[in-house]
Structures are given as C-alpha cells and as structure tokens.
Amino acid sequence: MKISFYTLSLLALFWGSNMAAGQAVDLQDFEQVKKMMLPVLTKSIEPLKQTRACVVKSTNSEQLNACVEIMAEFQRGLIPGGGNAAPKMPRLEWSEVLTEQIRSDLDRSMLETSANIKCLQSSASQKAMDECARKAGVGR
C-alpha cells in the first residue's frame, strides 16, 4: 500500500466533495471551502517534510513505520474525535525500493499540495481553481 493514499487523502476528500456536488460550486461555497482548506493544506507541508526526511534516513522496518506515523498522526488530528475511526496504517517492511517509492510519493504530495495552496490563494472561483490546478499539472 502506498503512502500516497494517506498523504493525498486529504486532497481527495476536498476535491471529491466538490465533484460530488457537480462542477458548479458557487462563489460563496468556494470561499467557504477555501477558508477551510488553506490552513489545513498549509499545516500539512511540515508533516510531509518531516515524514520524508525520516523515511530517507530510515534503515529498518521500525524506523520506517515510525516515520509513516508522523503523517498518520497529523491526519488523525484532522478527524473530529481524535481520529479513532481512522484506518490504521498496515505495518510496512523496510526495503530500499519501498523507501524510494514512499519518498517519491511524498515529493509528489508536497508539490501537489504546494500547487493547490497557490491555486486556492490566487483563485476566486472553482472554475479559476480548476484552471490553475490544470496548468500546474495537479492530477485531479
């Protein structure tokens, strides 16, 4: 299981909620989503960086699993009630291939999160957000 599932789940929830309502999100709704999501996305950058640095330095399964817990803990903190209902990350077995995949996923997550932050900050509508994200190459 890739770490990207966990690091990108926040973004998936955000975009999924907009898509479930259809492409048309009125200005008031977009502004509300923007006010809610910008702080969360901004706060997620540091745990992503910490997780990445930890994963790169890891040399065994115990270390790797402790690294992944950094981001998991951040995500659990976003769930009302302390995240008791959040799924637990399965135990990972360290390997160079796995650590490289996780590092790559985290790099992509940081780039996409940063792009989404910039697009949210510069957009006044869902349409503008979608165009900005498309130009930034953010997969949606």
Side-chain angles (χ1 to χ4, degrees):
M1 182 174 290
K2 291 183 181 180
I3 186 80
S4 62
F5 170 77
Y6 295 97
T7 58
L8 294 176
S9 62
L10 177 63
L11 290 174
L13 288 172
F14 169 61
W15 299 125
S17 65
N18 282 343
M19 294 303 173
Q23 286 289 9
V25 175
D26 69 31
L27 182 58
Q28 183 179 0
D29 289 342
F30 180 76
E31 286 301 318
Q32 289 172 339
V33 168
K34 187 174 177 176
K35 285 179 184 176
M36 180 182 74
M37 291 306 298
L38 269 174
V40 174
L41 291 172
T42 301
K43 288 177 187 175
S44 73
I45 295 291
E46 190 56 35
L48 284 166
K49 287 179 181 178
Q50 290 172 355
T51 302
R52 184 197 185 279
C54 184
V55 166
V56 168
K57 292 178 185 175
S58 72
T59 58
N60 61 51
S61 296
E62 285 302 315
Q63 291 173 350
L64 180 62
N65 284 288
C67 297
V68 172
E69 186 60 27
I70 296 168
M71 198 67 212
E73 186 66 29
F74 171 77
Q75 290 178 337
R76 281 192 293 275
L78 298 175
I79 300 171
N84 293 331
K88 293 285 185 183
M89 180 70 179
R91 180 158 171 74
L92 301 174
E93 293 301 322
W94 188 92
S95 73
E96 286 185 30
V97 172
L98 180 59
T99 57
E100 177 57 26
Q101 180 63 52
I102 292 171
R103 186 212 46 82
S104 175
D105 289 345
L106 288 165
D107 286 347
R108 187 179 68 245
S109 293
M110 285 188 287
L111 287 172
E112 289 182 0
T113 299
S114 294
N116 277 307
I117 289 169
K118 289 176 185 174
C119 288
L120 274 170
Q121 290 171 331
S122 67
S123 299
S125 69
Q126 183 66 45
K127 184 176 179 180
M129 175 68 191
D130 291 342
E131 181 63 18
C132 179
R134 186 188 63 73
K135 286 180 181 177
V138 176
R140 295 186 25 165

